[in-house]
Amino acid sequence: MKNDVKKSANRKHNIQYDNWGYVFIAPFFVIYIIFSLIPLLTTFIFSLFEYYRVGLLTVGPTFIGLENFKAIFTAGDSLGKYFLNTLIMWAMGFVPQIIISLLLAVWFTNTELNLKGQGFFKTVIYMPNLIMAATFAMLFFTLFSPNGPVNGMIRSIVDKTNEAAIGVQKPMEPIRFFSSTAWTRTLVATMNFLMWYGNTTILLMAGVMGIDNSLFEAARIDGASPSQVFFKVTMPLLLPIFVYVFITSLIGGIQMFDVPQILTNSAGTPDRTTMTIIMKLNNHLQSKNYGPAGAISVLLFVVTGVLSGLVYKITMSKYQNKR
């Protein structure tokens, strides 16, 4: 009897921790199911239904199959044009972003350079990432408006030049940046570059710091130049992080919305050349036209998955085990 009592007492004191892991990871799955999985499935369902509002009248939901997908391809607005606009503005911002971020990452992690004040500069280049895109867009809209500071500085320089050349001030017409496709796209790309190059630099720095420093030392001892070290040692070993940055940036670029939305007042001016695919999706949502909005969302999901898979397959093929 005494042994049985002792065994039962020991069982009470021996707490089982095996199942506590499920308790700690449960919040993630609960939040994911409520805020991601259910909306995702709902979007797929809405894409197959006629469901919209006219005033206070709600039409649907009525199952119509793939008609919403046919409608968005046969409508007057070209979905391909908006997708091309998105890719162009993303590429214009991403190319300088990745080049400058690579240079900064290599400089900051180079033990031979031993740059001073690295902590300060890392903080400064990351700070724009903390500013809301809406704030950036409003700032650029104010700076480059016809009566903004940029036009004021250009007008002042031109007036002084004319006065010095011909002795007469000729008033200059303000440059209407937002009436030019090239200028508007450049401004959108510049804002995306400024907001994200700091984050990209930090990621690439983490990748470079993960490379064994003895490899760089061995390359230098063998007489490799700095450019050879970069292209023959750094880039091949940095490729997995580089691909991650490329894919995440591509996904973010396809979802580009807030900067061109605010900068062009949701019109995609001039002539919808800065209208992105998400801006078109937002127009359907504002008009309560949930069917085509769901169809566009599904297409974006498929296109994003296909492009990301292709990029990964092409760039990471040599890292995959082959029989």
Side-chain angles (χ1 to χ4, degrees):
M1 290 292 292
K2 290 182 178 180
N3 292 333
D4 293 339
V5 173
K6 288 182 179 180
K7 288 181 180 179
S8 61
N10 289 333
R11 287 173 186 168
K12 290 181 180 179
H13 290 293
N14 291 333
I15 302 174
Q16 296 294 325
Y17 294 99
D18 296 346
N19 297 325
W20 278 97
Y22 297 107
V23 175
F24 288 116
I25 65 174
F28 165 77
F29 288 101
V30 172
I31 293 173
Y32 174 77
I33 291 172
I34 295 175
F35 295 103
S36 294
L37 186 59
I38 293 177
L40 179 64
L41 296 176
T42 305
T43 301
F44 276 93
I45 293 171
F46 280 164
S47 67
L48 303 175
F49 283 79
E50 182 183 40
Y51 187 22
Y52 61 92
R53 292 183 185 180
V54 180
L56 299 177
L57 177 65
T58 301
V59 178
T62 304
F63 182 78
I64 57 173
L66 300 177
E67 292 301 320
N68 285 320
F69 293 92
K70 295 179 182 178
I72 61 176
F73 283 111
T74 58
D77 290 338
S78 174
L79 205 64
K81 175 182 178 180
Y82 302 145
F83 188 73
L84 183 61
N85 293 341
T86 307
L87 288 181
I88 289 174
M89 289 187 289
W90 167 75
M92 289 174 66
F94 179 75
V95 172
Q97 171 189 323
I98 197 65
I99 293 174
I100 292 177
S101 296
L102 271 173
L103 290 174
L104 291 174
V106 172
W107 286 343
F108 285 140
T109 55
N110 194 318
T111 55
E112 288 189 334
L113 293 178
N114 194 22
L115 297 177
K116 304 297 182 182
Q118 288 191 28
F120 170 76
F121 288 110
K122 291 174 187 177
T123 304
V124 169
I125 64 176
Y126 190 77
M127 283 182 65
N129 189 252
L130 304 177
I131 303 175
M132 293 180 61
T135 306
F136 247 116
M138 288 302 299
L139 173 64
F140 270 63
F141 182 82
T142 304
L143 288 174
F144 291 91
S145 63
N147 297 319
V150 174
N151 262 306
M153 288 188 294
I154 295 174
R155 189 183 300 113
S156 175
I157 294 172
V158 171
D159 288 346
K160 289 181 180 179
T161 303
N162 288 336
E163 186 177 10
I166 60 178
V168 179
Q169 284 191 0
K170 296 180 65 177
M172 187 197 82
E173 287 293 323
I175 302 173
R176 302 192 178 275
F177 292 98
F178 303 113
S179 297
S180 167
T181 298
W183 271 115
T184 309
R185 286 177 172 174
T186 301
L187 292 177
V188 172
T190 302
M191 281 183 276
N192 285 322
F193 160 74
L194 290 174
M195 286 189 296
W196 291 106
Y197 85 99
N199 181 70
T200 303
T201 301
I202 298 299
L203 290 173
L204 293 175
M205 282 179 59
V208 175
M209 292 170 67
I211 302 173
D212 191 348
N213 197 47
S214 63
L215 297 174
F216 298 115
E217 294 177 357
R220 296 189 192 104
I221 291 173
D222 289 339
S225 64
S227 61
Q228 289 175 326
V229 171
F230 177 76
F231 288 107
K232 300 295 185 179
V233 179
T234 305
M235 280 306 298
L237 296 175
L238 190 63
L239 187 60
I241 300 297
F242 185 88
V243 172
Y244 169 79
V245 169
F246 184 86
I247 291 177
T248 52
S249 178
L250 176 63
I251 294 172
I254 292 175
Q255 297 174 354
M256 189 188 303
F257 168 70
D258 38 13
V259 169
Q261 173 82 2
I262 296 172
L263 195 66
T264 66
N265 196 22
S266 72
T269 53
D271 194 26
R272 293 177 295 180
T273 53
T274 54
M275 174 79 74
T276 66
I277 196 73
I278 299 295
M279 290 171 66
K280 182 61 179 177
L281 170 62
N282 186 63
N283 290 341
H284 283 303
L285 293 176
Q286 285 183 335
S287 61
K288 312 295 182 183
N289 201 359
Y290 300 117
I296 293 176
S297 299
V298 171
L299 285 174
L300 276 179
F301 177 80
V302 173
V303 169
T304 302
V306 170
L307 288 179
S308 300
L310 285 175
V311 171
Y312 181 83
K313 185 71 175 177
I314 294 171
T315 56
M316 298 294 292
S317 58
K318 66 179 180 180
Y319 284 86
Q320 297 171 357
N321 293 327
K322 296 182 179 180
R323 292 183 179 181

